[in-house]
Amino acid sequence: MGPEQTLDLSREQANYLFNVMRLGPGAEVALFNGRDGEWAASVAEAGKRGGVLRCVRQTAPLLLPPDLWLLFAPIKKARTDFIVEKAVEMGAARIMPVQTEFTNSERIRQDRLQAHAVEAAEQCGGTFVPEVTDLHRLDRVLADWPDGRRLIFADEGAVGRSALLPDLVAADADQQVQGSGWAILIGPEGGFSQAERDRLRGLPFVHPIALGPRILRADTAAVAALTLFQSSLGDWR
Amino acid sequence: MGPEQTLDLSREQANYLFNVMRLGPGAEVALFNGRDGEWAASVAEAGKRGGVLRCVRQTAPLLLPPDLWLLFAPIKKARTDFIVEKAVEMGAARIMPVQTEFTNSERIRQDRLQAHAVEAAEQCGGTFVPEVTDLHRLDRVLADWPDGRRLIFADEGAVGRSALLPDLVAADADQQVQGSGWAILIGPEGGFSQAERDRLRGLPFVHPIALGPRILRADTAAVAALTLFQSSLGDWR
């Protein structure tokens, strides 16, 4: 987007702006495309089946999140939607549903979850929308894990005290390769299988963390782990 | 509760156990009352309008949360329920709905929210249920604030970098009076009014904190603030 640039509206967009919101020529709207920050634009043409917006000025810069992926096992629809919403608000760069041994869902509606991520970004004034990937099996994701990326594993078996933040910050300082990113893995409601836990704990790029003495739901664990990351290694510092 | 102690069931409890769950004499159930941890109990008598349980053994000790209150402005029903659920999971000792200038709700169903807190404790294997208070006006709550209790104020106006955890831990170390507790205040979706923010920032027991560069919904902010508290000052250490 740039000053004076015009954008043609689809029929659905025109219907929303001119019929639902009852905007007319000259009205101002906020635009974002995930790359150019937020722009103010004015309605140049308003029709029944389309219309044209003209960019006026940038109103917010693009705020990119840290290079952080959130891997989670899909749960009930409402709570899966919630995890996607919270990942957007909390600043994940990529959202990856993974199928674990105890995951009930064998499929997800990727397009619906991606649309939900766009809506969450609109709601929280975000200018970036993370990609929501298709569902992949956890064992394959781990087998193809990218070099240098570290995985924080929210291990419900790791009860009791946890030196979480200092550990992670120390690991970050030790790591010579910078910029290779992080990921957080949250399990399903039934937790991970013992085989999955053993495998995860044996992988050199995995950092197990504990999230306190109480059992957290998957959606709560996602927000808690994202908070710990952002406040110690991410962009809340 | 204690070994061999018996408990009479209400009609609703008997209906749930014997008709819905189809349990019979000798079946084992898990009990908690918020004071004695979790107990295994067996069905001693099962009737249509009542029944008797007999405590067998304690299966989990009482896990008390830190002395932490969560103050929040009620929002839409589903998200208010969510905040109560998350406060229980994350370990708040008391949940206090407060009416701020920008709070739409003028009343809450305290009994419904308290029942929701009990259900959340059951779901997450908790042995403690925080009290949910009635709705009170924020200005009166602040006027009657208890001596020594410190209030963490999630101030959406405090953008940018935040030395959140070190600040709080330092404040805790400086404080001579120990054991007087903490509270977290989360605002409504529309934020606090300027007058409220000015007043809060002028109070000696208030510690404003920032929650990153993105705008968080009230329910997200509640989980994030509880996470920061538990991991730096609470029982996740």
Side-chain angles (χ1 to χ4, degrees):
Chain A
M1 291 187 277
E4 298 300 316
Q5 190 183 328
T6 56
L7 293 102
D8 294 324
L9 295 173
S10 70
R11 189 171 182 147
E12 291 72 31
Q13 291 169 329
N15 180 58
Y16 180 74
L17 290 179
F18 310 135
N19 295 329
V20 179
M21 298 301 291
R22 301 199 167 274
L23 300 181
E28 205 161 88
V29 297
L31 290 184
F32 78 105
N33 61 4
R35 292 184 306 274
D36 301 317
E38 186 183 276
W39 282 72
S42 68
V43 175
E45 293 172 32
K48 290 209 171 181
R49 296 193 187 85
V52 175
L53 298 181
R54 178 171 289 118
C55 292
V56 178
R57 64 188 175 281
Q58 195 186 38
T59 46
L62 175 63
L63 176 65
L64 282 174
D67 183 7
L68 172 67
W69 300 353
L70 178 69
L71 281 66
F72 75 100
I75 41 181
K76 283 187 295 186
K77 179 177 171 298
R79 289 191 190 261
T80 296
D81 287 355
F82 183 84
I83 288 180
V84 169
E85 172 188 306
K86 293 322 178 203
V88 174
E89 280 180 60
M90 294 293 301
R94 196 175 194 212
I95 301 171
M96 301 176 65
V98 291
Q99 196 179 347
T100 68
E101 287 188 41
F102 297 159
T103 306
N104 289 323
S105 317
E106 299 208 349
R107 65 183 71 188
I108 57 159
R109 283 280 310 276
Q110 187 276 335
D111 56 340
R112 204 181 58 76
L113 292 180
Q114 185 67 66
H116 198 66
V118 172
E119 195 183 324
E122 288 171 355
Q123 286 287 333
C124 75
T127 53
F128 173 84
V129 180
E131 175 201 10
V132 181
T133 68
D134 268 324
L135 184 67
H136 294 290
R137 282 177 48 177
L138 176 62
D139 55 356
R140 294 192 187 153
V141 171
L142 294 176
D144 296 334
W145 195 253
D147 280 351
R149 186 172 294 271
R150 284 150 290 169
L151 177 61
I152 299 167
F153 161 45
D155 184 3
E156 77 271 33
V159 288
R161 280 162 175 272
S162 154
L164 170 66
L165 298 182
D167 278 1
L168 289 183
V169 173
D172 196 49
D174 287 350
Q175 195 89 5
Q176 291 304 309
V177 185
Q178 289 297 317
S180 41
W182 289 85
I184 290 171
L185 171 62
I186 301 294
E189 298 282 312
F192 292 98
S193 73
Q194 191 59 46
E196 283 172 331
R197 293 188 58 221
D198 290 345
R199 176 161 184 216
L200 283 161
R201 288 185 159 267
L203 291 168
F205 54 85
V206 169
H207 301 261
I209 62 165
L211 296 173
R214 281 162 294 270
I215 299 164
L216 303 184
R217 283 179 187 264
D219 52 357
T220 318
V223 178
L226 288 164
T227 301
L228 293 175
F229 178 88
Q230 293 292 16
S231 63
S232 61
L233 294 165
D235 64 10
W236 289 20
R237 286 178 294 179
Chain B
M1 293 188 275
E4 299 299 316
Q5 189 182 328
T6 56
L7 292 102
D8 294 325
L9 295 173
S10 70
R11 189 172 181 147
E12 292 71 32
Q13 291 169 329
N15 180 59
Y16 180 75
L17 290 179
F18 310 135
N19 295 330
V20 179
M21 300 300 292
R22 302 198 167 275
L23 301 180
E28 204 161 89
V29 297
L31 289 184
F32 79 104
N33 61 4
R35 291 184 306 275
D36 301 318
E38 185 184 277
W39 282 73
S42 68
V43 175
E45 293 173 32
K48 289 210 170 183
R49 296 195 186 83
V52 176
L53 299 181
R54 177 172 289 117
C55 292
V56 178
R57 64 188 175 281
Q58 194 185 39
T59 47
L62 175 62
L63 176 65
L64 282 174
D67 183 7
L68 171 67
W69 300 353
L70 178 69
L71 281 65
F72 75 100
I75 42 181
K76 284 187 294 186
K77 178 176 171 298
R79 289 192 190 261
T80 296
D81 286 356
F82 182 84
I83 289 180
V84 169
E85 172 187 307
K86 294 320 178 204
V88 173
E89 279 181 59
M90 295 293 302
R94 196 174 194 213
I95 300 172
M96 301 176 66
V98 291
Q99 196 178 347
T100 67
E101 286 188 42
F102 296 159
T103 305
N104 289 323
S105 318
E106 299 207 348
R107 66 182 72 187
I108 55 159
R109 285 280 309 276
Q110 187 276 336
D111 56 340
R112 204 181 59 75
L113 292 180
Q114 185 68 67
H116 198 67
V118 172
E119 196 183 323
E122 289 170 355
Q123 286 287 335
C124 75
T127 53
F128 173 83
V129 179
E131 174 200 10
V132 181
T133 69
D134 268 323
L135 183 67
H136 293 290
R137 282 177 48 177
L138 176 62
D139 54 357
R140 293 190 188 153
V141 170
L142 294 176
D144 296 336
W145 195 251
D147 280 350
R149 185 172 293 272
R150 283 151 290 169
L151 178 61
I152 299 167
F153 161 44
D155 183 2
E156 77 271 33
V159 288
R161 281 163 174 273
S162 154
L164 170 66
L165 297 181
D167 279 359
L168 288 183
V169 173
D172 195 49
D174 288 350
Q175 195 89 6
Q176 292 304 308
V177 185
Q178 290 296 319
S180 41
W182 289 85
I184 290 172
L185 171 62
I186 301 294
E189 298 282 314
F192 292 98
S193 72
Q194 192 58 47
E196 283 172 331
R197 292 188 57 221
D198 291 345
R199 178 164 183 213
L200 282 161
R201 288 186 159 267
L203 290 168
F205 54 84
V206 169
H207 301 262
I209 62 165
L211 296 173
R214 281 162 293 270
I215 300 165
L216 303 183
R217 284 178 186 264
D219 52 357
T220 318
V223 177
L226 287 164
T227 301
L228 293 176
F229 178 88
Q230 293 291 17
S231 63
S232 61
L233 294 165
D235 62 12
W236 289 20
R237 284 179 296 179

